[in-house]
Amino acid sequence: MAKPLTRCAWADGSEIERDYHDTEWGVPLHDDRLLFECLILEGAQAGLSWRTVLVKRERYRQVFHGFDIARVAAMKDRELDKLMLDPGIVRNRLKLSATRGNAQAALKLIDEAGSLDAHLWSFVDGKPIRNRWRDRGQVPASTAESDRMSKDLKKRGFRFVGTTICYAFMQATGMVDDHVADCFRKA
């Protein structure tokens, strides 16, 4: 019988967390739409479990037009108000408003920098930081890089982009490899 796979401890809970860990978390993303989606979902997770957001992710994709940045930026107040009634997403008025505002800020950033990809990856000099943690307890909640990213995004008008959210975003998008040493996904 095959030995069970060893994963990062946070991914040993539910099937949805295991699948996400095994196929997505820490894989370098360079697509502006996917980077925007991840940034929004990390912000939506603030104060909640990541599992909660993963369960609601498909509905988020539906109501936010597949995270098409221009379409989200153009959403009207009445659309956001209607979303407050949708149990398929996190119904937090500030987070919903921030989604549209972040899309508007992202369009300006793309116009200035050429892409979200180029700008966001510049905080890690364009290549993943590969940490060598032995266990989850060693993994920080934020770093100097996430501090800089958070400060920069806030200055540009983004919301729900504190340093801890930015670090989780960096982990999720492969900017930082924080799979622990015995995880089967460790590069």
Side-chain angles (χ1 to χ4, degrees):
M1 183 174 213
K3 179 181 172 188
L5 296 175
T6 300
R7 292 177 175 83
C8 297
W10 67 265
D12 278 342
S14 67
E15 182 178 351
I16 197 166
E17 288 169 314
R18 283 190 304 272
D19 289 347
Y20 173 74
H21 171 273
D22 293 358
T23 61
E24 296 180 60
W25 192 71
V27 175
L29 282 181
H30 292 283
D31 176 275
D32 279 4
R33 185 191 60 76
L34 294 174
L35 288 165
F36 177 70
E37 174 182 333
C38 191
L39 190 64
I40 295 305
L41 294 178
E42 290 293 349
Q45 185 267 335
L48 305 169
S49 73
W50 184 238
R51 183 181 183 284
T52 298
V53 173
L54 283 176
V55 167
K56 296 177 180 284
R57 181 166 61 163
E58 284 308 314
R59 184 65 181 148
Y60 267 94
R61 287 173 174 162
Q62 293 167 359
V63 302
F64 286 113
H65 312 291
F67 288 99
D68 178 291
I69 300 169
R71 288 185 69 191
V72 174
M75 290 178 78
K76 305 292 184 211
D77 287 344
R78 69 181 179 279
E79 292 174 89
L80 297 178
D81 290 342
K82 187 177 175 185
L83 292 179
M84 286 296 295
L85 304 173
D86 192 330
I89 62 169
V90 175
R91 294 176 288 180
N92 177 301
R93 190 171 303 283
L94 292 175
K95 290 177 181 181
L96 295 175
S97 174
T99 299
R100 178 181 60 192
N102 287 354
Q104 293 164 346
L107 289 177
K108 289 178 188 169
L109 193 155
I110 291 167
D111 189 49
E112 177 187 310
S115 68
L116 281 179
D117 176 55
H119 185 72
L120 295 173
W121 276 84
S122 73
F123 293 95
V124 293
D125 295 328
K127 59 186 184 308
I129 295 170
R130 302 204 183 280
N131 292 316
R132 300 285 178 213
W133 313 119
R134 288 183 312 281
D135 61 65
R136 185 75 185 149
Q138 294 179 303
V139 180
S142 64
T143 61
E145 293 84 4
S146 68
D147 291 347
R148 284 195 306 277
M149 180 185 284
S150 174
K151 185 176 180 181
D152 175 84
L153 293 177
K154 286 177 182 178
K155 181 181 75 176
R156 294 171 182 281
F158 285 82
R159 292 181 288 158
F160 287 93
V161 290
T163 188
T164 301
I165 289 171
C166 285
Y167 194 66
F169 168 79
M170 294 170 85
Q171 292 170 311
T173 60
M175 293 177 191
V176 175
D177 178 356
D178 272 349
H179 288 283
V180 294
D182 63 348
C183 176
F184 83 97
R185 291 287 319 276
K186 184 67 184 167

